[in-house]
Amino acid sequence: MGNKKGLVISSLIILVIAIIAVTYLLFQEKREKSDMTQLFNLEKEEMENEYTRFANQYDELQYQLSNDSLINVLESEKIKTQRLLEELRSVKTTNAKEIMRLKKELATVRSVLRTYIVQIDSLNRVNQVLKEENKQVRQKYSEAARQITNLAEEKKKLNEKVELASQLDATNIWIKAKNKRDKEAKKVKDVVKFAIGFTIVKNISAPTGERTLYIRITKPDNDVLTKSQSNTFQYENRTLNYSIKKYIEYTGEEQNVTVYWNVEEFLYAGTYRVDIFADGILIGSHRFTLD
């Protein structure tokens, strides 16, 4: 009897111990599961933050570029990253398999993004070098253009000096009003002819050979004495009438020239002017008065 009672008590003790053990194991499992859920929640949150940051980085990279092809590639990668982010947000924390998949995808996105960052950084450095080289080229071009302009100006000035030095010059200009006896006329009503004389000065820089001189006699009212309105020559892009045309053979030495004008017009008292032209240039002028 006593042995049966002891056996029952031992069995009860063993049963209680087993219940306690099973309860402890269940509690431990529940606590571990709770800890794992919290861990997945934290990891999921960190992954969401990373996906969001990567999508923003793709936007920032696109703003740095002007290459449409590369911008389109980055846009495609950004859309893929955003799609994975939406998948992650919709996954339950208890779905460990899906979270692990998205974690691997995140590692791929991180690697691809790092590759583009390196490429774009390299492109930016190359572009910066090219910009600096272009700047230097533009500076050199501007300097060369400035030098060419200066040389052109110097050449122009030199040509002007050479042209000026090669021009003829008429000096010692005189005018005599003569009457019908070839004497000097005392009154304007007696003038029948003008004798006009001048000296072409010596100029070894001037071209030699035949030269054409144009002499204009202008009355006090600025009307030019001329035998025909077709008697013209060019001066400073204008067409002027001349009174007398004279051909000379210029040798570079001093040369005296005399021309005559037969008066067939009505003359009146006042100040007259004689202008002498050669090679389209005014080479001498002189005024005289008739009473």
Side-chain angles (χ1 to χ4, degrees), residues 21 23 32 60 88 107 112 122 128 137 150 157 180 190 199 231 233 254 268 280:
T23 302
E32 288 177 1
E60 293 173 2
L88 178 61
V112 171
S122 177
Q128 188 60 38
V137 169
N150 290 341
K157 291 178 181 179
K180 59 184 178 180
D190 298 327
T199 301
N231 292 343
F233 68 102
E254 183 176 284
Y268 48 89

Side-chain angles (χ1 to χ4, degrees), residues 44 47-53 55 79-91 102:
K44 182 181 177 184
M47 288 170 61
E48 287 181 6
N49 290 338
E50 280 199 82
Y51 272 121
T52 301
R53 186 171 70 253
I79 292 173
K80 178 181 177 181
T81 302
Q82 291 172 334
R83 178 176 55 78
L84 291 171
L85 174 60
E86 292 302 318
E87 289 182 17
L88 178 61
R89 286 172 175 169
S90 64
V91 170
L102 292 170

Side-chain angles (χ1 to χ4, degrees), residues 205-234:
S205 299
T208 59
E210 186 180 89
R211 311 294 279 273
T212 304
L213 306 179
Y214 295 95
I215 298 92
R216 278 167 55 97
I217 306 171
T218 307
K219 297 192 293 184
D221 61 359
N222 290 323
D223 188 24
V224 178
L225 300 180
T226 183
K227 299 303 182 185
S228 171
Q229 291 300 318
S230 63
N231 292 343
T232 60
F233 68 102
Q234 295 299 311

Side-chain angles (χ1 to χ4, degrees), residues 11-137:
S11 298
L12 289 172
I13 292 172
I14 292 171
L15 180 60
V16 170
I17 292 172
I19 292 171
I20 293 171
V22 170
T23 302
Y24 176 77
L25 290 173
L26 290 173
F27 175 77
Q28 283 293 104
E29 183 180 354
K30 184 177 181 181
R31 187 173 68 178
E32 288 177 1
K33 187 175 182 181
S34 177
D35 291 343
M36 185 64 69
T37 300
Q38 291 180 0
L39 180 62
F40 276 136
N41 278 332
L42 289 174
E43 189 169 19
K44 182 181 177 184
E45 185 177 350
E46 289 179 0
M47 288 170 61
E48 287 181 6
N49 290 338
E50 280 199 82
Y51 272 121
T52 301
R53 186 171 70 253
F54 292 159
N56 291 336
Q57 281 186 279
Y58 275 118
D59 272 335
E60 293 173 2
L61 291 175
Q62 285 177 284
Y63 289 136
Q64 300 177 28
L65 299 173
S66 58
N67 185 303
D68 291 339
S69 297
L70 189 52
I71 289 175
N72 291 336
V73 172
L74 293 179
E75 180 66 19
S76 176
E77 292 295 333
K78 183 185 74 172
I79 292 173
K80 178 181 177 181
T81 302
Q82 291 172 334
R83 178 176 55 78
L84 291 171
L85 174 60
E86 292 302 318
E87 289 182 17
L88 178 61
R89 286 172 175 169
S90 64
V91 170
K92 295 182 179 180
T93 54
T94 55
N95 192 341
K97 181 179 179 181
E98 190 64 13
I99 288 177
M100 291 304 297
R101 181 186 72 81
L102 292 170
K103 189 173 183 179
K104 291 181 180 178
E105 291 282 3
L106 180 63
T108 302
V109 170
R110 184 186 297 109
S111 176
V112 171
L113 178 59
R114 186 180 297 113
T115 300
Y116 284 121
I117 289 174
V118 171
Q119 289 180 357
I120 292 172
D121 183 61
S122 177
L123 284 174
N124 287 337
R125 286 198 301 270
V126 171
N127 286 337
Q128 188 60 38
V129 171
L130 291 175
K131 286 180 180 178
E132 186 62 30
E133 290 178 352
N134 287 339
K135 180 180 177 182
Q136 294 176 2
V137 169

